[in-house]
Amino acid sequence: MHKDEFHLKFFMCVIQSRQLVRTPQRTAGEASTSSMLIPKPPTKTDTLKSLDTLDDPDTVRSIPVFKTEWIMTHEEHHAAKTLGIGKAIAVLTSGGDAQGMNAAVRAVVRVGIFTGARVFFVHEGYQGLVDGGDNIKEATWESVSMMLQLGGTVIGSARCKDFREREGRLRAAYNLKAGKITDEEATKSSYLNIVGLVGSIDNDFCGTDMTIGTDSALHRIIEIVDAITTTAQSHQRTFVLEVMGRHCGYLALVTSLSCGADWVFIPECPPDDDWEEHLCRRLSETRTRGSRLNIIIVAEGAIDRNGKPITSEDIKNLVVKRLGYDTRVTVLGHVQRGGTPSAFDRILGSRMGVEAVMALLEGTPDTPACVVSLSGNQAVRLPLMECVQVTKDVTKAMEEKKFDEALKLRGRSFMNNWEVYKLLAHVRPPVSKSGSHTVAVMNVGAPAAGMNAAVRSTVRIGLIQGNRVLVVHDGFEGLAKGQIEEAGWSYVGGWTGQGGSKLGTKRTLPKKSFEQISANITKFNIQGLVIIGGFEAYTGGLELMEGRKQFDELCIPFVVIPATVSNNVPGSDFSVGADTALNTICTTCDRIKQSAAGTKRRVFIIETMGGYCGYLATMAGLAAGADAAYIFEEPFTIRDLQANVEHLVQKMKTTVKRGLVLRNEKCNENYTTDFIFNLYSEEGKGIFDSRKNVLGHMQQGGSPTPFDRNFATKMGAKAMNWMSGKIKESYRNGRIFANTPDSGCVLGMRKRALLFQPVTELQGQTDFEHRIPKEQWWLKLRPILKILAKYEIDLDTSDHAHLEHITRKRSGEGAV
């Protein structure tokens, strides 16, 4: 292994097969997954497929991947739960700390113990591995109980020069074996399987869409940016904010999208030689349009085309000298690494930790070291050294000033962010709209954080394309009443960070008002409609398709951008607003659990929103470490409730004397929150106290998270690009006439791609009675929630990860 590999910000898991107990005999090549299926991997790779080939055919380089299909028998379910017997796993954290590392460590420990393996902490990273002694300690189930909500890494991290030398690695090997290695032991334990989980706030590792800690760092940055914005507006100031990212500009780039910054400097895309003139012109134009502030984001590794550093002080001096603006510099520093991990990082760390253990336990002497990565919303395994090499290639490309190549190597998600930023920040909207199309934008359904960011992006991209953009107040009701006005560039200024719906939103559906809606479509010459909202937006789209039979005016293209805290819109794995609601629930659960720190033996029952959709309850349960999460999609009985009570009774006998139970608001009409609270209170008498909390509409409020801001911004841009093309395609005989199924779509994220899906095709995938999709990807994560809560369950699901290989893309419209 190359010594430079140890400079990478890895959280590593290693396994050593000690054969203390004979492991169960298994058929050739059994594998595993993040959702606990144990498939059988092939022994050859010559028939394998390339990563993302089905999702994005625009592949520059295609390398094989593992792909298998297998259904487990009942006996194999049991064998899977004993897969770790006779094996030992060591877990360590290395490099800079990152929020969410502790969630990954917790998952590794608990899943390892669940499968029968022994699990060991290695404190202080590779240095602890070399020094041995008390640095290597066996972990227990309870030893990770308080980890989930803590930032940093509880088991410590240190940079280790000794491990880069052979002698240091030999000492580490002795320590793993707890003594000198004999020839017989060397033969019996001749290999280590290694799995890496990338913990880095910079998101600077190629092969994964997001590294553990990045989302939390963005939370810290956006909190500060929002606070600075208020004071900047008061004094008409320009603020230059320097964020981390010595070799990668991801934090700076996403921050700029999430706060609507005027300019961003990142190492992968240095500005043109005349950037000083361009920057000053951009700032002055913004002020001319009525803005009272300017925000400039700078990555600490920002450079110009000649490789010369561009510092925050350089930018400040430039703005003061040429424009005379009151300018301040804020260097955020290590505050970006601190604080509580976000819900996203807790879930990501937990999922990756589970997948890491299963990848280790299936390992053979021929299994290459791999890294568990995130692609879209799926866990994948990639060869470690391939990812390391591509990451080095990025650095090399930047050193050689091949910046276009460096940008492509960063991957589809990074490229998408950059393209949207350039449109919103560097393209001047045309002055004249002669010959342009007219597109209307509206919100429908309940408010969701991020709606305003989607409206802003849609309006501004529309203006850049030369369109006339109208905004509709109060949804379909406002469209029927003519509550419509034209939006200019400044109309949506500052909307990105604001929660709720600035346009107003109602649940009213269009069917009863087709005549008035048709009249106003004609009156305002509306040629396309962007609908941002939840399940009502989707059903409203279906009604518009039906209404086309009677009203030709409704034959215009429309697209639905899912935006609802419930995350229940068919055709999309994620909805704008769900991440903000999830973080609100998670933060509240942390505070509620903390209130029990001085009062032992207490169980909290928390009711979440979501209608019949159990997404919030399930994902918040995974992020907050819940003991149970009751949802409609997974029916439960009184016997299940009794089993959960008994589980908590046993838990109170351990050192962890508190419990957390989440209940989706419509999971069962009879087993209400009050019923469950009363049951727990009665059955827990003398053992634990019970408390209940109904979170209510606080889950719909607040400032949107960085994920929701970024997701909404890119969804709005992609929707408007589609709309412009579809209007041109539908132009016939001097008017717009769109009556094909693909002229009315839902824009959604499906696994690894953003797709436009006709609303009529999604009907068969919808449970209209309960307002949910018939199939929901996150249900496959529920076994993880139960295993981490120490329930004995079968490891049965249909989803599994494979060993894949990196492919390089020319374009990245799919990734988010």
Side-chain angles (χ1 to χ4, degrees):
M1 199 173 293
H2 197 282
K3 67 179 182 180
D4 287 343
E5 176 181 340
F6 305 115
H7 291 294
L8 294 173
K9 300 173 182 177
F10 266 129
F11 147 53
M12 304 293 292
C13 301
V14 294
I15 180 171
Q16 180 178 6
S17 178
R18 299 189 179 186
Q19 298 183 351
L20 301 177
V21 180
R22 184 176 175 82
T23 56
Q25 295 298 310
R26 304 181 66 76
T27 314
E30 298 171 351
S32 64
T33 78
S34 60
S35 49
M36 313 307 293
L37 176 66
I38 310 296
K40 303 175 180 178
T43 56
K44 298 181 180 181
T45 63
D46 51 356
T47 60
L48 306 181
K49 300 179 181 179
S50 61
L51 172 60
D52 287 349
T53 298
L54 297 178
D55 300 317
D56 187 350
D58 186 18
T59 305
V60 175
R61 185 184 67 177
S62 180
I63 308 180
V65 305
F66 285 102
K67 186 165 180 69
T68 61
E69 298 294 339
W70 184 49
I71 298 177
M72 300 176 68
T73 65
H74 176 75
E75 290 75 18
E76 286 168 323
H77 280 308
H78 178 71
K81 286 190 278 190
T82 59
L83 187 63
I85 292 178
K87 296 182 178 180
I89 297 173
V91 54
L92 62 89
T93 53
S94 176
D97 62 296
Q99 308 97 317
M101 278 184 165
N102 290 323
V105 171
R106 172 179 177 266
V108 169
V109 170
R110 290 195 166 179
V111 175
I113 293 173
F114 180 87
T115 60
R118 297 178 68 190
V119 184
F120 293 83
F121 289 139
V122 178
H123 293 270
E124 311 307 333
Y126 288 107
Q127 191 65 55
L129 209 58
V130 172
D131 294 343
D134 291 339
N135 288 311
I136 303 177
K137 296 179 180 179
E138 187 161 3
T140 64
W141 192 277
E142 287 76 19
S143 65
V144 293
S145 295
M146 305 298 291
M147 278 190 174
L148 195 58
Q149 65 268 31
L150 298 178
T153 165
V154 171
I155 61 175
S157 178
R159 305 192 186 278
C160 178
K161 294 182 179 179
D162 294 338
F163 198 73
R164 299 175 194 169
E165 306 297 331
R166 175 175 172 76
E167 184 178 341
R169 293 195 291 274
L170 283 174
R171 293 211 310 271
Y174 298 158
N175 291 328
L176 284 173
K177 286 296 296 182
K180 189 77 173 177
I181 301 174
T182 65
D183 291 341
E184 181 181 356
E185 288 174 327
T187 301
K188 188 164 61 176
S189 302
S190 59
Y191 67 95
L192 287 176
N193 288 115
I194 301 174
V195 176
L197 304 182
V198 190
S200 166
I201 68 167
D202 294 334
N203 201 30
D204 56 355
F205 188 79
C206 294
T208 184
D209 286 351
M210 190 77 88
T211 57
I212 296 170
T214 302
D215 187 69
S216 299
L218 286 169
H219 273 253
R220 301 293 91 75
I221 296 170
I222 291 301
E223 287 168 5
I224 295 168
V225 171
D226 286 350
I228 283 176
T229 298
T230 56
T231 183
Q233 286 176 330
S234 300
H235 296 276
Q236 298 192 59
R237 282 178 175 152
T238 295
F239 267 89
V240 182
L241 283 86
E242 182 180 305
V243 302
M244 285 187 169
R246 190 169 302 161
H247 304 292
C248 179
Y250 186 87
L251 288 179
L253 180 54
V254 174
T255 297
S256 70
L257 285 174
S258 300
C259 71
D262 296 284
W263 197 284
V264 65
F265 292 90
I266 62 174
E268 293 88 348
C269 302
D272 295 330
D273 291 337
D274 62 344
W275 66 268
E276 294 93 345
E277 295 291 336
H278 191 178
L279 171 62
C280 292
R281 184 174 63 250
R282 167 73 180 168
L283 298 181
S284 60
E285 287 175 353
T286 302
R287 292 290 179 97
T288 301
R289 287 194 291 262
S291 176
R292 292 178 58 84
L293 78 157
N294 298 114
I295 299 292
I296 301 170
I297 308 297
V298 187
E300 61 179 332
I303 55 176
D304 63 17
R305 289 278 169 181
N306 298 314
K308 180 184 176 182
I310 299 176
T311 68
S312 51
E313 284 295 331
D314 292 338
I315 298 167
K316 173 192 172 182
N317 294 335
L318 172 69
V319 174
V320 172
K321 181 179 179 180
R322 296 203 184 182
L323 299 177
Y325 293 169
D326 186 2
T327 306
R328 298 287 189 274
V329 171
T330 300
V331 180
L332 301 190
H334 280 73
V335 69
Q336 297 160 85
R337 292 193 183 278
T340 300
S342 66
F344 182 98
D345 274 329
R346 299 186 198 193
I347 295 168
L348 178 63
S350 298
R351 290 180 66 185
M352 300 299 99
V354 170
E355 181 60 38
V357 171
M358 303 312 290
L360 288 172
L361 295 182
E362 70 160 29
T364 68
D366 299 324
T367 303
C370 72
V371 57
V372 178
S373 300
L374 183 71
S375 179
N377 70 346
Q378 293 186 301
V380 298
R381 304 178 195 170
L382 300 171
L384 174 60
M385 296 313 296
E386 280 188 24
C387 296
V388 170
Q389 185 57 53
V390 176
T391 304
K392 289 180 179 179
D393 289 345
V394 175
T395 303
K396 182 180 179 182
M398 288 193 289
E399 289 174 349
E400 296 176 352
K401 300 181 176 58
K402 298 178 180 177
F403 299 112
D404 289 341
E405 181 179 341
L407 183 61
K408 291 178 182 178
L409 289 170
R410 281 292 182 210
R412 298 177 303 166
S413 180
F414 196 100
M415 288 183 66
N416 283 343
N417 286 323
W418 178 247
E419 292 302 322
V420 174
Y421 158 74
K422 284 197 301 183
L423 280 176
L424 292 174
H426 286 241
V427 178
R428 291 182 180 179
V431 177
S432 173
K433 300 184 180 66
S434 58
S436 63
H437 302 296
T438 302
V439 180
V441 186
M442 61 194 298
N443 294 159
V444 175
M451 278 183 163
N452 295 324
V455 172
R456 172 186 176 272
S457 175
T458 302
V459 168
R460 290 195 168 178
I461 295 296
L463 293 174
I464 288 169
Q465 293 173 345
N467 295 320
R468 176 171 171 256
V469 183
L470 306 177
V471 291
V472 181
H473 298 273
D474 294 337
F476 286 115
E477 183 177 315
L479 185 58
K481 293 180 178 180
Q483 298 172 207
I484 303 168
E485 63 178 315
E486 186 169 353
W489 189 269
S490 300
Y491 186 93
V492 291
W495 281 29
T496 307
Q498 297 189 29
S501 169
K502 296 275 287 183
L503 295 181
T505 180
K506 292 190 176 181
R507 297 179 183 270
T508 309
L509 295 176
K511 192 171 185 178
K512 295 180 180 179
S513 307
F514 276 160
E515 287 190 17
Q516 298 94 317
I517 288 174
S518 298
N520 282 321
I521 287 176
T522 301
K523 177 181 177 181
F524 291 93
N525 191 31
I526 296 173
Q527 298 169 310
L529 190 60
V530 177
I531 308 169
I532 302 166
F535 200 85
E536 289 85 2
Y538 162 66
T539 52
L542 286 172
E543 290 189 2
L544 290 177
M545 293 294 286
E546 183 182 345
R548 287 178 174 181
K549 299 174 184 177
Q550 295 178 282
F551 300 91
D552 286 348
E553 294 85 354
L554 300 180
C555 293
I556 59 173
F558 69 85
V559 59
V560 175
I561 297 177
T564 168
V565 302
S566 301
N567 198 34
N568 64 335
V569 178
S572 187
D573 294 343
F574 293 105
S575 295
V576 173
D579 185 71
T580 303
L582 187 58
N583 276 276
T584 299
I585 298 168
C586 194
T587 301
T588 305
C589 288
D590 286 350
R591 292 173 179 174
I592 288 172
K593 287 167 65 177
Q594 189 181 51
S595 72
T599 308
K600 303 298 184 181
R601 297 179 181 174
R602 179 162 289 175
V603 175
F604 297 94
I605 295 98
I606 311 295
E607 181 185 299
T608 68
M609 294 181 80
Y612 288 99
C613 182
Y615 175 84
L616 288 180
T618 296
M619 301 303 272
L622 189 56
D627 296 282
Y630 301 121
I631 63 172
F632 169 78
E633 294 90 342
E634 192 173 278
F636 57 97
T637 66
I638 189 66
R639 287 183 291 276
D640 296 316
L641 293 173
Q642 290 173 331
N644 295 147
V645 171
E646 179 56 33
H647 179 271
L648 286 166
V649 168
Q650 296 302 316
K651 184 179 181 180
M652 297 302 163
K653 297 177 182 178
T654 69
T655 57
V656 184
K657 302 184 184 298
R658 63 185 181 189
L660 178 66
V661 175
L662 299 181
R663 177 189 177 274
N664 170 240
E665 60 182 346
K666 292 187 177 180
C667 64
N668 190 295
E669 62 181 353
N670 294 313
Y671 299 142
T672 64
T673 301
D674 286 337
F675 177 92
I676 293 175
F677 167 72
N678 292 332
L679 174 66
Y680 273 61
S681 298
E682 182 63 28
E683 296 297 322
K685 277 184 178 178
I687 302 171
F688 59 78
D689 295 329
S690 297
R691 296 289 187 275
K692 68 175 178 179
N693 292 83
V694 178
L695 302 186
H697 283 75
M698 66 178 293
Q699 297 160 83
Q700 288 182 339
S703 178
T705 60
F707 180 94
D708 276 333
R709 298 185 194 197
N710 189 31
F711 188 40
T713 298
K714 289 196 285 188
M715 291 282 273
K718 191 169 180 69
M720 184 54 81
N721 284 333
W722 175 89
M723 180 62 67
S724 295
K726 191 60 67 174
I727 288 176
K728 293 177 183 178
E729 180 185 311
S730 307
Y731 192 79
R732 303 172 189 172
N733 302 320
R735 58 165 292 193
I736 303 298
F737 187 81
N739 62 352
T740 57
D742 66 352
S743 62
C745 291
V746 169
L747 170 57
M749 181 181 178
R750 303 299 294 266
K751 294 184 178 179
R752 300 177 182 179
L754 287 178
L755 302 175
F756 290 94
Q757 302 147 99
V759 291
T760 51
E761 291 184 7
L762 294 173
Q763 280 183 288
Q765 304 173 25
T766 307
D767 176 353
F768 286 97
E769 180 184 355
H770 299 104
R771 297 161 53 89
I772 56 175
K774 290 180 179 178
E775 293 186 5
Q776 304 188 79
W777 67 274
W778 51 266
L779 287 171
K780 296 171 183 178
L781 300 183
R782 285 187 64 81
I784 297 178
L785 189 156
K786 296 176 182 179
I787 289 169
L788 295 179
K790 208 174 183 178
Y791 284 91
E792 288 292 329
I793 67 166
D794 282 341
L795 313 182
D796 183 24
T797 122
S798 60
D799 193 23
H800 54 282
H802 322 285
L803 181 63
E804 302 181 345
H805 292 253
I806 298 176
T807 57
R808 302 177 187 178
K809 310 291 182 180
R810 283 194 295 270
S811 63
E813 288 298 329
V816 179

